[in-house]
Amino acid sequence: MVSPLVFLRFRVRPVIGVMTAVLAIATGNAVAETVEVVGEVTEVDLSALAFDGPTAVKVRTAGGGVETITVPSQGRNLCAARGNLAPPEELRAGALVSVLGTRSEDGAIVPCDDESHSFHLLSRHSVPEHGFRFTFRVEPAGYAAVPATDGQSPDLMYGLSLMVRDDLDTFSEDAGARDGPKSITIEIYDNSPHLHAPVWVDRNKTKSHVDLARSPIEETVLAGANAVRYRTDGLYQNEHIVAAHDSKIFVLTVAYDSLEDDIYLNFIDLLSTFEFIPSQ
């Protein structure tokens, strides 16, 4: 039985749009509406900074509506979500952001009242020559996209790793040989024989690492394409999603220690934004 990628956890889903009233947070005797917004920045208003007021960011959603996000300046360190806020004053028009915050009385969204709140700068990563795209977090504590190096499998058509910038910087500065940081990887292999995903996994054990599987291979769906998922043991725990699409095999993998790790949760977010597009 095919099971879609469903995860019972509230997470920000960076698909452009607005989802309102998804949570409620008790504040005294009142219940504040919590709103999730993803869209493009149209304006960054810094005028209130002169008297320690908030930065106001206007975000246009896919439906054409405009939401105002206000992020405190002087009191930002007192925000419950202070470690989960991208610097709004560094944003420019056209930037893609995701926001989770409380709707204030004046209608603005404030991502500050609860530690689950967030204000993230996102990046759209599109690879039209191979027909796919996805979104990932850039700030805060965001990821750097690192292309695969040469010398790998001859049928590897494309490879990309997403690594937390701080981890990548530390690893790059350390000249001594050591294990690499945890990462999210995307690999594309030629599938001219048009093998189904489970058949490819079984016939390509050195690429799929299925011999190290510690979970059953389950059928699933990735962006509408039939796929399989399984977990393996290694230096880290790994979860693999393998999909067959358009004469190619797509292998998405995350290395993690715990299902509570940010990188694992960010992988789930990435899967929710992954989509196939016409190849160019």
Side-chain angles (χ1 to χ4, degrees):
M1 179 178 179
V2 177
S3 60
L5 292 167
V6 176
F7 301 84
L8 299 179
R9 173 184 299 276
F10 178 80
R11 297 287 299 159
V12 174
R13 298 292 185 227
V15 178
I16 297 178
V18 181
M19 284 164 277
T20 59
V22 292
L23 287 176
I25 296 175
T27 55
N29 295 324
V31 176
E33 176 192 15
T34 297
V35 183
E36 180 183 9
V37 171
V38 180
E40 290 188 352
V41 172
T42 61
E43 180 184 343
V44 180
D45 184 357
L46 305 176
S47 60
L49 295 181
F51 48 90
D52 297 332
T55 299
V57 181
K58 293 190 180 299
V59 175
R60 185 182 304 280
T61 68
V66 176
E67 296 279 357
T68 299
I69 318 301
T70 57
V71 182
S73 55
Q74 185 68 19
R76 193 174 304 168
N77 287 337
L78 300 178
C79 281
R82 58 188 175 277
N84 213 16
L85 303 176
E89 59 275 1
E90 297 180 9
L91 296 176
R92 299 292 181 270
L96 180 65
V97 296
S98 68
V99 184
L100 181 66
T102 302
R103 178 82 71 185
S104 63
E105 292 183 358
D106 63 2
I109 301 170
V110 183
C112 190
D113 297 334
D114 186 82
E115 61 182 11
S116 68
H117 288 177
S118 61
F119 185 86
H120 291 165
L121 173 62
L122 307 176
S123 175
R124 295 188 190 91
H125 192 85
S126 182
V127 187
E129 61 269 30
H130 291 298
F132 74 101
R133 63 189 175 196
F134 62 92
T135 302
F136 65 95
R137 189 179 75 218
V138 177
E139 291 288 349
Y143 292 82
V146 182
T149 57
D150 295 332
Q152 299 191 23
S153 173
D155 58 344
L156 179 66
M157 304 174 69
Y158 175 87
L160 183 76
S161 294
L162 297 177
M163 302 180 189
V164 176
R165 278 197 175 85
D166 289 346
D167 292 346
L168 177 61
D169 291 343
T170 300
F171 179 73
S172 300
E173 293 168 1
D174 189 345
R178 62 184 183 85
D179 299 321
K182 291 175 284 188
S183 64
I184 296 169
T185 60
I186 298 174
E187 296 174 323
I188 303 176
Y189 293 94
D190 176 68
N191 188 29
S192 299
H194 298 281
L195 301 177
H196 294 299
V199 177
W200 185 91
V201 166
D202 184 63
R203 292 187 184 179
N204 294 271
K205 292 181 172 64
T206 59
K207 303 182 185 75
S208 67
H209 306 290
V210 71
D211 283 347
L212 301 174
R214 63 177 184 88
S215 72
I217 298 176
E218 300 177 352
E219 293 186 356
T220 186
V221 175
L222 175 67
N226 291 332
V228 294
R229 61 178 296 193
Y230 54 95
R231 290 174 177 162
T232 61
D233 271 327
L235 174 62
Y236 304 110
Q237 305 298 315
N238 302 280
E239 182 161 317
H240 310 267
I241 308 293
V242 181
H245 178 76
D246 193 24
S247 301
K248 302 180 181 76
I249 289 289
F250 291 75
V251 182
L252 283 68
T253 303
V254 59
Y256 62 94
D257 289 322
S258 163
L259 296 180
E260 299 300 320
D261 284 0
D262 279 347
I263 194 167
Y264 182 81
L265 300 176
N266 295 154
F267 179 66
I268 303 309
D269 286 341
L270 184 151
L271 292 176
S272 73
T273 70
F274 191 94
E275 58 182 327
F276 295 111
I277 58 177
S279 298
Q280 298 181 6

